[in-house]
Amino acid sequence: QRWREQGGGDDLRRGPKATPHNKLSPEEEQRVLDVANSKEFRDVSPRQIVPILADRNTYFASESAFYRLLR
């Protein structure tokens, strides 16, 4: 409200300027999508995919990252 009252008119809010250090690279994102869409995991939710991969000592991304990328 304050920026409207000051006559700015435009929304001058800005998001963070730096990208997070733990952001997945495009290659990592594609790898997660390939795993999630593979024949083995096609009908399995990320809630089940991540523990199955952990049992195999493999980690691609967190459960929430799987959900975010599949969305």
Side-chain angles (χ1 to χ4, degrees), residues 7-60:
D10 293 330
D11 186 356
L12 301 177
R13 294 175 286 186
R14 303 283 189 254
K17 294 182 187 220
T19 58
H21 296 289
N22 60 346
K23 181 179 178 181
L24 295 175
S25 68
E27 294 82 19
E28 292 170 324
E29 288 181 2
Q30 187 60 47
R31 191 173 352 148
V32 168
L33 291 173
D34 291 342
V35 168
N37 292 319
S38 69
K39 198 174 247 188
E40 180 181 3
F41 297 116
R42 186 174 299 152
D43 297 325
V44 181
S45 73
R47 179 168 283 195
Q48 296 169 327
I49 294 174
V50 173
I52 291 170
L53 291 174
D55 288 341
R56 299 178 187 172
N57 293 324
T58 305
Y59 181 82
F60 292 110

